[in-house]
């Protein structure tokens, strides 16, 4: 599944139209964010995560979406279930993000 790019204008719609969502918050200047992008894309293509929407949000241009997850650092990942925040982590390690995704009861 392709990674969905979301902004403040459509973020809530993305959350409400997908039961399980994992969001990567990034900034264009963030080197670790750029390095993690291919890993995030690979996760989104993983068959075992077929029922999860993978979403990219630019933390600098989408302050409302950033506030919903209480973003503290970048890259920052958050998982939402039924439109509600389940958990989040500021990390650049794939294992930390996979652990977060598993909180959605994959």
């Amino acid at each position: 599944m392709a990674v969905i790019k979301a902004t403040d204008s459509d973020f809530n719609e993305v959350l409400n139209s997908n039961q399980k969502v994992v969001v990567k918050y990034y900034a264009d200047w963030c080197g670790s964010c750029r390095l993690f992008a291919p890993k995030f894309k690979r996760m989104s293509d993983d068959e075992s995560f077929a029922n999860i929407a993978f979403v990219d949000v630019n933390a600098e241009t989408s302050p409302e979406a950033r506030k919903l997850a209480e973003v503290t650092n970048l890259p920052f990942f958050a998982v939402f279930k039924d439109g509600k925040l389940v958990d989040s982590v500021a990390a650049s390690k794939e294992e930390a993000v996979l652990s977060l995704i598993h909180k959605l009861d994959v």
Side-chain angles (χ1 to χ4, degrees):
M1 181 182 204
V3 175
I4 301 164
K5 295 256 188 220
T7 63
D8 276 353
S9 63
D10 59 1
F11 187 69
N12 282 323
E13 183 182 324
V14 170
L15 287 185
N16 293 326
S17 59
N18 296 282
Q19 185 189 12
K20 298 176 182 180
V21 179
V22 58
V23 182
K24 177 182 71 155
Y25 293 90
Y26 71 95
D28 292 333
W29 51 261
C30 173
S32 295
C33 301
R34 281 195 303 276
L35 289 172
F36 201 89
K39 296 175 192 169
F40 197 63
K41 171 70 175 115
R42 190 173 61 247
M43 285 183 212
S44 75
D45 291 335
D46 188 323
E47 292 285 323
S48 59
F49 300 143
N51 65 335
I52 299 173
F54 283 73
V55 180
D56 265 346
V57 172
N58 186 321
E60 292 193 305
T61 59
S62 298
E64 295 305 314
R66 186 177 68 229
K67 278 185 215 159
L68 279 177
E70 300 171 9
V71 174
T72 57
N73 210 336
L74 296 173
F76 192 89
F77 299 86
V79 287
F80 294 84
K81 188 169 184 177
D82 299 320
K84 303 213 178 342
L85 180 65
V86 174
D87 202 359
S88 60
V89 64
S92 53
K93 298 230 179 297
E94 196 167 346
E95 299 79 31
V97 178
L98 288 170
S99 173
L100 187 66
I101 291 171
H102 285 291
K103 292 183 179 184
L104 291 172
D105 304 317
V106 176

